[in-house]
């Protein structure tokens, strides 16, 4: 059984308790981060903490603890669970208050929950076979840049993708791909140029996205940050996704049509290798 962290206490997962009046439960009034773990070390912890601070700031939510304290909790949780590979989930909500649309008083203590999830990250069958995605309308709210716990539409989209025999969904707004249900989306055009949507309120600023774009630039790959249409994606040479838990994974089919030659792309494969190498070097 896992050990989890709930509001200052490490306990067995079946003893972790949160109030029914927690605003995360009543209003999805909370944010989260997911930090991946390789060889027992945290990948890009500072990046994830910077995004957490931004999410909290955009929602005028107090921080549950400073970065040093959060790092100590992450490490303690890894040690207690002997986690070598997987992820640490950290959920922060605006805390417990009488049900009211108004934010509670600013001194309401935020709720803080962390738990681990074991799983293979380096060795993923999808890295060899590629993912099949389907497109669905992006019906999420208009502040997707904030990493809130409000994941219902992403969950619906992924479930719809599974129902249609695919692995994941790409979300589409005004004919253009915003991102994947839980990842950022990329294509590579016929000239080898990498295209991905620029940061805005429309997408989550992926921590993996930042790292992969930097590494791609350093590898001499041309990058164009702009929104691309579904038609462009269908005509692309390659497509792929990035996220903390999937790193870089190739997309080989969109809406039942093969992308390029229908096999994982060369650039996606290279970026996956470079990213993992860099992650292993810089993890803390
Ligand atoms: N977009 C969405 C909607 C996501 O849920 C995620 C995963 N958190 C990402 C992009 C990728 O972000 P990251 O690279 O930080 O995991």
């Amino acid at each position: 059984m896992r050990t989890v962290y709930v509001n200052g206490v490490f306990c067995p997962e079946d003893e972790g308790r949160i109030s029914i009046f927690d605003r995360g439960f009543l209003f999805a009034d909370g944010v989260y981060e997911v930090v991946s773990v390789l060889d027992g070390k945290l990948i890009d912890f500072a990046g994830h903490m910077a995004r957490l601070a931004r999410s909290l700031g955009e929602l005028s939510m107090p921080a549950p603890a400073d970065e040093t304290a959060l790092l100590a909790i992450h490490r303690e949780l890894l040690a207690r669970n002997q986690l070598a590979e997987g992820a640490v989930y950290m959920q922060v909500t605006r805390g417990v208050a009488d049900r009211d649309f108004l934010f509670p008083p600013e001194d309401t203590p935020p709720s803080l929950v962390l738990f681990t999830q074991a799983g293979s990250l380096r060795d993923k069958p999808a890295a060899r076979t590629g993912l099949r995605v389907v497109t669905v309308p992006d019906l999420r709210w208009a502040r997707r840049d904030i990493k809130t716990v409000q994941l219902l539409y992403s969950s619906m989209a992924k479930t719809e993708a599974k129902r249609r025999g695919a692995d994941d969904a790409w979300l589409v707004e005004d004919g253009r791909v915003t991102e994947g249900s839980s990842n950022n989306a990329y294509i590579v055009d016929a000239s080898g140029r990498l295209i991905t949507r620029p940061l805005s309120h429309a997408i989550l600023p992926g921590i993996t996205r930042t790292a992969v774009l930097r590494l791609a630039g350093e590898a001499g790959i041309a990058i164009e940050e702009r929104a691309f249409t579904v038609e462009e994606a269908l005509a692309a040479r390659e497509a792929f996704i990035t996220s903390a838990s999937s790193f870089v994974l190739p997309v080989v089919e969109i809406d039942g049509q093969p992308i390029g030659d229908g096999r994982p792309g060369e650039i996606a494969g290279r970026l996956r290798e470079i990213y993992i190498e860099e992650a292993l070097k810089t993890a803390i």
Side-chain angles (χ1 to χ4, degrees), residues 94-190:
R94 205 181 302 271
V96 178
D98 276 343
R99 191 188 184 285
D100 189 339
F101 281 88
L102 289 178
F103 288 170
E106 273 174 23
D107 59 356
T108 304
S111 299
L112 176 61
V113 169
L114 284 89
F115 58 91
T116 54
Q117 208 157 278
S120 200
L121 303 181
R122 236 171 310 195
D123 187 27
K124 278 236 160 92
R128 292 184 294 276
T129 60
L131 297 168
R132 289 162 307 153
V133 305
V134 291
T135 57
V136 302
D138 194 341
L139 301 181
R140 298 172 301 165
W141 78 328
R143 288 305 304 275
R144 304 156 194 155
D145 56 311
I146 308 171
K147 196 164 171 63
T148 75
V149 298
Q150 186 194 313
L151 294 173
L152 182 55
Y153 190 70
S154 296
S155 179
M156 288 168 70
K158 200 160 281 208
T159 303
E160 170 67 9
K162 278 276 180 278
R163 197 190 61 77
R164 285 158 64 179
D167 303 300
D168 201 357
W170 274 15
L171 310 176
V172 178
E173 190 168 59
D174 299 331
R176 291 177 168 78
V177 174
T178 52
E179 56 187 338
S181 67
S182 61
N183 42 68
N184 291 113
Y186 308 74
I187 56 171
V188 177
D189 72 8

Side-chain angles (χ1 to χ4, degrees), residues 199-213:
L199 297 184
S200 72
H201 288 179
I203 65 168
L204 188 79
I207 302 306
T208 321
R209 177 188 182 281
T210 301
V212 165
L213 288 184

